[in-house]
Amino acid sequence: MPASRLMPTEESSDLIGLTRDIVARELAPKVAGFEASGEFPREVFRTLGRAGLLSLPYPEELGGGGQSYEVYLQVLEEIASVSASVGVGVSVHALSCFGLFTAGTDEQREQWLPEMLSGEQLGAYCLSEAHAGSDPAAMRTKAVREGDSYVINGAKAWTTHGGQADFYKVMARTSDDGGRGISCFLVPADANGLSADNPEQKMGLMGSTTATMIFNDVRIPVGRRLGDEGQGLPIALAGLDSGRLGIAAVATGLAQGALDAAVAYAKERQAFGKAIIDHQGLGFVLADMAAAVESARATYLSAARRKDAGEPFSRQASIAKLVCTDNAMKVTTDAVQVLGGAGYTRDFPVERHMREAKVMQIFEGTNQIQRLVISRDLAR
Ligand SMILES: Cc1cc2nc3c(=O)[nH]c(=O)nc-3n(C[C@H](O)[C@H](O)[C@H](O)COP(=O)(O)OP(=O)(O)OC[C@H]3O[C@@H](n4cnc5c(N)ncnc54)[C@H](O)[C@@H]3O)c2cc1C
């Protein structure tokens, strides 16, 4: 963890302290176990939820924590420095609530948001399909209006918390008009016809279940559509701007965890009669790792402050996602190098950090797609 954080208020400093206590006590002892077994750590999310850490960036009057992104993201970073799987889960939950918060009517928000933010519920976000990842406008899952209902048929791939979540924010096609023919729905986990396929067998993030969600004549009331028909893709993409900041913070926490493990090892491990950190060639590797972590943090915080100030931040969110995840890949790879042969074994967490860093460059828009967002914004 960073030695100290410059938080904007005393209350937010206390929140960081509380988070560190909770993750040290409730999460750190369990991470190696659930990453090895692939068991979904549902109880950990309940603990975080009861402590108010699952709903920080939402207003207090709706059951949230009333925190700025500057604060929320640093809490998220602290969680991810101990477990990337749980960090990703907290970020995905926030993303799953976003559509209702921004596009829901007052009535819809009052009806569902307090429960979703209560800490007892966990959300999932269904945008991708097997043939439509980087290009979500190519999606085929359909929601057909029948009287006062929509009937959803199709399959949403790669759903984080698939089969574990209590509610699903689902983007589905309501007309054939490309990106303008997609609508957004809030689907409860117990809806008839909704099921999860077998979880994906992934390279990392074993504690974060990822599964295709199958929609077989799932009938939901029209009142569960968020926003107008055809507004689904803009709602999804607006959510991703904030979600990308979440992934940037998670990647930074992951890199910080790897740096901490590498520094601790390099102080202990001896070669040629001294600690390996005292060999300049290795000390400089660690220095570059520390520079990468701190510059990543500065990048996501700068984007978060723009968001908190109500400024446009889409380009900066993509820059933060790109910089923080690329830095995390480099830092975690170097951490394995610092530990030498030990780094390549499961006796130390750095091989896991390296596997976890890879997916950060892929989900919530690959880093090629982030470059597309940035370059299009520059061309505007
Ligand atoms: C562990 C995990 C969890 C996930 N969780 C979720 C979730 O909760 N909800 C959800 O909806 N999705 C989720 N995803 C899906 C994820 O967002 C997609 O995998 C991602 O957007 C990439 O889509 P794709 O896999 O179809 O790759 P593709 O779109 O097939 O891309 C393949 C390659 O082509 C490149 N490429 C594509 N288009 C361009 C272009 N225009 N210019 C340059 N390069 C391009 C990509 O960068 C990539 O390198 C998750 C994925 C993983 C692995």
Side-chain angles (χ1 to χ4, degrees):
M1 63 178 73
S4 64
R5 287 181 186 275
L6 288 177
M7 300 303 291
T9 60
E10 207 175 307
E11 186 208 0
S12 57
S13 278
D14 293 345
L15 187 57
I16 291 291
L18 171 82
T19 306
R20 285 181 175 174
D21 283 350
I22 292 176
V23 297
R25 207 177 48 241
E26 306 286 346
L27 183 54
K30 298 177 185 155
V31 178
F34 63 66
E35 288 300 335
S37 68
E39 194 187 327
F40 184 68
R42 187 65 181 88
E43 206 40 54
V44 169
F45 285 99
R46 285 207 182 85
T47 306
L48 295 179
R50 283 179 201 133
L53 301 183
L54 274 189
S55 54
L56 289 176
Y58 290 97
E60 282 171 301
E61 57 274 22
L62 290 167
Q67 297 296 321
S68 63
Y69 257 65
E70 179 184 356
V71 172
Y72 155 63
L73 293 179
Q74 293 190 78
V75 169
L76 187 54
E77 194 203 313
E78 291 285 340
I79 296 169
S81 70
V82 174
S83 165
S85 287
V86 174
V88 166
V90 174
S91 181
V92 166
H93 176 74
L95 175 64
S96 309
C97 301
F98 191 86
L100 175 56
F101 178 60
T102 54
T105 61
D106 287 346
E107 204 185 341
Q108 286 175 319
R109 287 169 170 218
E110 278 157 28
Q111 191 174 354
W112 295 307
L113 207 49
E115 210 185 0
M116 286 158 61
L117 298 177
S118 68
E120 291 297 324
Q121 295 219 345
L122 197 59
Y125 175 87
C126 298
L127 178 64
S128 304
E129 296 185 7
H131 51 275
S134 299
D135 180 15
M139 74 173 60
R140 292 177 198 153
T141 295
K142 277 200 166 143
V144 176
R145 178 106 185 226
E146 286 184 8
D148 289 339
S149 310
Y150 283 96
V151 180
I152 309 180
N153 277 290
K156 303 303 282 187
W158 301 113
T159 308
T160 298
H161 302 158
Q164 303 287 348
D166 300 293
F167 61 91
Y168 294 83
K169 175 179 158 187
V170 179
M171 270 52 69
R173 183 161 291 294
T174 43
S175 87
D176 289 333
D177 190 11
R180 286 184 291 275
I182 293 165
S183 304
C184 179
F185 302 92
L186 193 61
V187 179
D190 61 1
N192 279 336
L194 177 63
S195 61
D197 204 349
N198 290 331
E200 301 294 343
Q201 300 296 306
K202 306 193 298 291
M203 178 196 289
L205 289 189
M206 311 309 187
S208 172
T209 307
T210 314
T212 293
M213 294 305 297
I214 298 161
F215 293 76
N216 190 2
D217 282 336
V218 174
R219 185 177 289 274
I220 52 161
V222 168
R224 281 192 167 267
R225 190 191 70 225
L226 304 177
D228 293 335
E229 266 202 14
Q231 282 300 302
L233 198 55
I235 293 170
L237 297 182
L240 279 181
D241 281 344
S242 302
R244 283 166 184 164
L245 289 180
I247 297 305
V250 168
T252 305
L254 174 60
Q256 179 74 56
L259 172 64
D260 291 347
V263 169
Y265 187 87
K267 285 179 179 170
E268 287 292 321
R269 178 74 177 170
Q270 301 274 321
F272 300 95
K274 56 183 178 183
I276 57 172
I277 197 169
D278 293 326
H279 291 287
Q280 195 181 61
L282 206 275
F284 278 15
V285 172
L286 291 162
D288 283 348
M289 290 163 70
V293 172
E294 296 229 0
S295 52
R297 184 173 297 123
T299 307
Y300 84 64
L301 282 175
S302 155
R305 288 179 189 131
R306 284 185 70 86
K307 174 174 165 60
D308 290 335
E311 296 290 324
F313 68 100
S314 182
R315 185 207 305 181
Q316 287 77 11
S318 282
I319 290 173
K321 201 270 183 183
L322 176 65
V323 167
C324 295
T325 62
D326 280 358
N327 284 10
M329 192 70 249
K330 173 92 174 70
V331 168
T332 55
T333 306
D334 287 346
V336 172
Q337 192 70 19
V338 169
L339 270 72
Y344 202 64
T345 70
R346 301 218 164 164
D347 296 340
F348 290 88
V350 290
E351 61 81 30
R352 190 187 84 224
H353 293 147
M354 185 175 153
R355 289 185 282 108
E356 290 171 340
K358 188 62 226 172
V359 76
M360 307 284 157
Q361 296 177 307
I362 295 173
F363 55 23
E364 299 219 7
T366 67
N367 283 4
Q368 284 75 30
I369 296 303
Q370 305 311 323
R371 289 183 174 93
L372 204 70
V373 172
I374 298 162
S375 60
R376 278 186 184 156
D377 193 60
L378 290 172
R380 208 165 278 146

